[in-house]
Amino acid sequence: MAASQDVHVRICNQEIVKFDLEVKALIQDIRDCSGPLSALSELNSKVKEKLQQLRHRIQELEQSAKEQDKESEKQLLLQEVENHKKQMLSNQTSWRKANLTCKMAIDNLEKAELLQGGDPLRQRKTTKESLAQTSSAITESLMGISRMMSQQVQQSEEAMHTLVNSSRTILDANEEFKSMSGTIQLGRKLITKYNRRELTDKLLIFLALALFLATVLYIVKKRLFPFL
């Protein structure tokens, strides 16, 4: 069972790294994108898909961490999960900034085309549609970041609660250990005292036996040899 968990954790970590790199590559593509709007929308769709896969794998890793038997391994994996979440949040922030950069590039390109000529009505319509779709993508990105931050705060509270419970358990175990140590010390003193009393009792029995034998010998001597 432990070997199976280790394999699953390893797979989760590998895929988290893979999805993270893919998200970063797509964000760089968005930064370099100068249009058209359909290309930006396609890149944003891919980023959403990869972030969803990344989030799912992080949740699987977190669940595996909670199922660990050893507290040390559990805390280590939870720390890895926290690092992955921070990295994903950073990616979402970079994604939002990349969309802003791309939007500015598209706006500048449309302004240049407008200055060079063409149908003004069509240009204004295209610009409005571009702004609307880009703003929608940015809004969705911000909402995703807000949800992620809310989840991170909640999970941080759960982790803090777990740490508090672990600290209480350790303190209780420490108190119990102190109590057991005191009991052991008392038992040791009682055993030492008992051993001393046993030695004293043996010595008294030996002296009593010697006195008894001396008394018997004295009586026998007086009976058999009264003239002595």
Side-chain angles (χ1 to χ4, degrees):
M1 183 67 179
S4 176
Q5 286 182 339
D6 291 341
V7 171
H8 183 67
V9 167
R10 199 158 48 243
I11 292 174
C12 282
N13 275 318
Q14 290 174 354
E15 294 197 353
I16 286 171
V17 172
K18 184 187 74 170
F19 291 139
D20 179 70
L21 292 175
E22 290 176 350
V23 168
K24 283 180 169 61
L26 288 169
I27 291 173
Q28 185 59 46
D29 290 340
I30 291 176
R31 288 194 187 99
D32 298 336
C33 177
S34 58
L37 185 61
S38 58
L40 176 60
S41 298
E42 183 179 355
L43 287 171
N44 279 323
S45 297
K46 291 180 179 179
V47 172
K48 290 178 185 177
E49 180 183 354
K50 294 300 178 183
L51 282 175
Q52 184 64 30
Q53 293 172 334
L54 178 60
R55 185 179 295 106
H56 179 67
R57 278 304 186 186
I58 291 175
Q59 289 173 350
E60 286 187 1
L61 182 62
E62 185 175 19
Q63 184 61 35
S64 297
K66 293 178 180 178
E67 293 174 356
Q68 293 295 318
D69 296 329
K70 294 182 178 179
E71 185 65 23
S72 58
E73 294 179 0
K74 176 181 177 181
Q75 295 301 325
L76 183 63
L77 283 178
L78 286 176
Q79 184 60 46
E80 289 184 13
V81 169
E82 191 68 20
N83 292 336
H84 289 316
K85 287 180 179 178
K86 289 179 180 178
Q87 186 60 46
M88 185 169 68
L89 184 60
S90 174
N91 285 338
Q92 288 179 315
T93 304
S94 298
W95 180 30
R96 178 177 63 83
K97 292 179 180 179
N99 269 282
L100 291 173
T101 301
C102 184
K103 169 186 169 298
M104 291 178 62
I106 293 175
D107 288 347
N108 291 333
L109 181 62
E110 290 176 347
K111 289 177 182 178
E113 290 178 353
L114 185 61
L115 291 174
Q116 290 174 2
D119 187 354
L121 292 176
R122 186 179 65 82
Q123 292 290 346
R124 282 197 295 271
K125 182 179 179 181
T126 303
T127 302
K128 289 180 180 179
E129 291 177 352
S130 173
L131 288 173
Q133 294 188 18
T134 304
S135 298
S136 176
I138 293 172
T139 301
E140 290 182 8
S141 174
L142 288 172
M143 290 177 65
I145 293 173
S146 178
R147 287 193 296 269
M148 181 62 189
M149 291 179 68
S150 177
Q151 292 176 0
Q152 187 174 1
V153 170
Q154 182 179 358
Q155 287 160 358
S156 297
E157 290 177 353
E158 292 177 356
M160 181 64 68
H161 182 67
T162 302
L163 287 173
V164 169
N165 289 337
S166 299
S167 299
R168 289 177 180 172
T169 302
I170 293 172
L171 289 173
D172 291 342
N174 188 35
E175 292 297 328
E176 185 175 352
F177 175 76
K178 289 181 179 178
S179 177
M180 291 178 61
S181 177
T183 304
I184 292 172
Q185 291 291 337
L186 179 60
R188 184 179 299 171
K189 290 180 180 178
L190 290 174
I191 291 173
T192 303
K193 184 177 180 181
Y194 173 77
N195 289 334
R196 290 176 179 173
R197 286 194 61 181
E198 185 179 10
L199 180 61
T200 303
D201 291 343
K202 288 180 179 179
L203 181 60
L204 290 174
I205 291 171
F206 175 77
L207 292 175
L209 182 60
L211 180 61
F212 174 75
L213 291 176
T215 303
V216 170
L217 290 175
Y218 178 78
I219 294 172
V220 170
K221 176 184 176 184
K222 287 296 182 181
R223 292 288 181 89
L224 296 179
F225 309 101
F227 51 89
L228 295 177

